Amino acid sequence: MIYTVTFNPSLDYLIHIDDFKPGEVNRMSFEQIYPGGKGINVSIVLQELGCESTALGFAAGFTGDEIHRQLQETGVRSDFIRLPSGNSRINVKLKTPGSETDMNGQGPEIPQDRIEELFDRLDSLTENDFLVISGSIPGSLPDDIYEQILKRLDGKSIPAAVDATGELLTNVLSYHPFLVKPNHHELGEIFGVELKNRGDVIPYAKKMQIIGAQNVLVSMAGEGAVLAAADGEIYQSDAPKGTVRNSVGAGDSMVAGFLAGYLKNRNYKEAFHLGLAAGSATAFSDGLASGDDIRSLAETL
């Protein structure tokens, strides 16, 4: 089983306004409410690709109930820890011609006893499971929560995928995560350099392996992607052709596609191509990509 962890899940309220005028009453041309959070996105795309997963994390109030209900509708199993007060956050995604604006909520307080509940659930994982931890953490969680989790699981041979930035990512590399997925800007920030093309990325992806990551998958938007794989090979590709309509969830989709491809036959090249197709298919969609769109795009790579 694949387990995804979303520390601060949300209901995302997506709205389109064709002629946005600040300070005035604006009429929406489109609106949609759907569950959000990086781990949840991974679970939804995994479901589209025929891979079961369980979404873990924290949920509170009526918004937490709605996140659970909508995930049930998509077929995704969730096992959220209920919080004693507050509401899971609401994020507003405003799209206007030529721009996207995100207004993200803070989320509820997470007390220590609920953190311990999450640790207890993760303690039940075995070497036959996969763990995905991704995204930012709310202020009520300790800054080293990622590190605490991987340290707790160290020695149990549980493959972990980590999609995070800065010290959240670098502090877990000593635990040899199976997969890390920075974009090229995030990778450059870690090493204090500017990475503009795939040739620039390759040596720094290898450095991430030397530090401890087994597979380093670097997304590069229109420039495609690079994978420094655990088999010693470097896989790289241009991005598929298409019209970008959405940036939310593309990286999460890439993680899901890579894991789904890898679990099929343990082939890194195929995993890389399915990951790139999944990320691109979501970028070309209004929301998270469908399995059919991902598979169709993968056939072009």
Side-chain angles (χ1 to χ4, degrees):
M1 174 66 73
I2 301 174
Y3 292 87
T4 65
V5 177
T6 305
F7 296 105
N8 204 6
S10 64
L11 281 180
D12 286 358
Y13 183 33
L14 171 64
I15 57 177
H16 291 192
I17 299 178
D18 296 332
D19 185 20
F20 180 65
K21 297 177 181 178
E24 299 184 21
V25 174
N26 291 271
R27 304 294 180 185
M28 302 171 194
S29 58
F30 175 84
E31 62 180 336
Q32 182 182 14
I33 298 175
Y34 53 89
K38 292 180 71 63
I40 285 174
N41 292 340
V42 172
S43 280
I44 292 172
V45 176
L46 283 170
Q47 184 72 19
E48 286 289 329
L49 292 171
C51 292
E52 290 186 352
S53 71
T54 299
L56 301 175
F58 304 96
F62 77 99
T63 45
D65 292 339
E66 180 63 11
I67 292 168
H68 173 73
R69 187 192 69 80
Q70 289 203 28
L71 286 177
Q72 277 189 314
E73 284 189 349
T74 66
V76 173
R77 181 175 182 268
S78 63
D79 189 18
F80 294 121
I81 295 164
R82 295 294 302 184
L83 299 178
S85 61
N87 292 291
S88 295
R89 61 184 177 153
I90 296 174
N91 296 335
V92 179
K93 313 290 184 180
L94 169 62
K95 291 192 176 184
T96 58
S99 70
E100 296 180 8
T101 302
D102 292 349
M103 292 162 278
N104 293 343
Q106 292 183 335
E109 291 288 317
I110 302 172
Q112 183 61 38
D113 65 327
R114 297 305 198 269
I115 298 173
E116 294 298 330
E117 281 190 44
L118 176 63
F119 287 163
D120 289 343
R121 294 184 189 186
L122 294 177
D123 284 344
S124 67
L125 271 61
T126 72
E127 62 184 8
N128 296 317
D129 298 315
F130 260 83
L131 176 65
V132 180
I133 51 177
S134 55
S136 61
I137 58 174
S140 56
L141 288 180
D143 292 341
D144 64 345
I145 187 70
Y146 278 36
E147 190 176 0
Q148 286 188 43
I149 289 173
L150 291 197
K151 182 178 181 180
R152 196 177 185 100
L153 300 180
D154 193 31
K156 297 180 68 174
S157 300
I158 298 169
V162 180
D163 183 4
T165 60
E167 290 185 352
L168 277 177
L169 177 58
T170 57
N171 288 346
V172 303
L173 294 178
S174 61
Y175 297 101
H176 307 292
F178 172 76
L179 175 69
V180 298
K181 197 221 70 63
N183 63 40
H184 62 296
H185 298 300
E186 294 163 348
L187 182 64
E189 287 173 1
I190 287 171
F191 292 103
V193 295
E194 184 178 4
L195 306 177
K196 296 181 178 179
N197 54 56
R198 296 197 301 273
D200 293 340
V201 162
I202 290 171
Y204 291 96
K206 289 180 176 179
K207 285 186 178 182
M208 292 285 278
Q209 286 184 302
I210 293 171
I211 297 171
Q214 297 179 48
N215 294 282
V216 182
L217 179 59
V218 185
S219 56
M220 301 185 66
E223 290 291 320
V226 170
L227 171 66
D231 62 4
E233 297 293 329
I234 297 292
Y235 302 98
Q236 57 178 308
S237 175
D238 292 328
K241 301 300 181 184
T243 300
V244 175
R245 299 164 63 180
N246 165 53
S247 62
V248 178
D252 310 321
S253 300
M254 179 176 280
V255 170
F258 181 89
L259 292 179
Y262 178 78
L263 290 173
K264 184 177 181 181
N265 57 17
R266 300 312 201 257
N267 183 289
Y268 289 113
K269 183 177 182 180
E270 291 184 17
F272 171 66
H273 283 156
L274 191 61
L276 179 56
S280 298
T282 286
F284 301 157
S285 305
D286 287 324
L288 296 174
S290 70
D292 287 341
D293 286 344
I294 292 169
R295 286 183 285 268
S296 177
L297 207 56
E299 291 177 359
T300 69
L301 295 173

